Amino acid sequence: MHSGAGVIAMRLVHVVRGVLWVGSVAFIAALLLPALRVAGPASGAVMQQMGKRIPPLMLTTSLLTVLSGLGLYARDSGGFSSSWMRSGQGLTFGTGGILALIAVIHGMAVNSPTGKRMGMLAAGMQPAGADGCRAVRSLSRTS
């Protein structure tokens, strides 16, 4: 994949998937999770869908970003030439790659299982939330 079209395809995958990966994390952390916290039990259906869909999406996106970046790094470095890897560009790309690998490992070890647990908890919250609301209403009528 050292042809012009191959490099363009790797760059396109790397940039588009990288933007999707970082943008998704920012959206979830800054907007979605705080809104779900405010919604409380009413957020059960959304949390259930997030637990099913987000972990595989994030894993696929992060792996495609890292693998395409590794391919570009191998191409730019001339097959991982140590002299290029010690250059400013090599150090910059290498540092970014190491940080991305740390993020992928963290996502696989922590975020993915947490997302799955959120989905399972949300599935249990919906029926319990409705029963809980009925119980509260019946208690308020009797008092």
Side-chain angles (χ1 to χ4, degrees), residues 37-48:
R37 277 189 210 106
V38 169
S43 67
V46 175
M47 287 174 55
Q48 187 174 6

Side-chain angles (χ1 to χ4, degrees), residues 1-12:
M1 218 189 219
H2 290 278
S3 68
V7 171
I8 290 171
M10 278 197 297
R11 285 184 180 156
L12 188 62

Side-chain angles (χ1 to χ4, degrees), residues 82-98:
S82 62
S83 62
W84 183 87
M85 291 168 64
R86 288 191 304 262
S87 70
Q89 186 178 14
L91 290 171
T92 301
F93 290 169
T95 302
I98 289 169

Side-chain angles (χ1 to χ4, degrees), residues 25-117:
V25 169
F27 169 76
I28 291 167
L31 299 173
L32 188 58
L33 290 178
L36 292 173
R37 277 189 210 106
V38 169
S43 67
V46 175
M47 287 174 55
Q48 187 174 6
Q49 288 302 309
M50 283 177 49
K52 289 179 188 174
R53 296 181 183 198
I54 289 181
L57 171 73
M58 296 302 283
L59 179 62
T60 304
T61 298
S62 63
L63 288 177
L64 284 172
T65 302
V66 169
L67 291 175
S68 60
L70 185 62
L72 290 168
Y73 189 82
R75 179 194 175 276
D76 289 347
S77 68
F80 302 105
S81 161
S82 62
S83 62
W84 183 87
M85 291 168 64
R86 288 191 304 262
S87 70
Q89 186 178 14
L91 290 171
T92 301
F93 290 169
T95 302
I98 289 169
L99 292 173
L101 285 172
I102 291 169
V104 169
I105 291 167
H106 184 270
M108 289 170 46
V110 177
N111 295 348
S112 185
T114 301
K116 289 176 185 171
R117 278 192 303 257

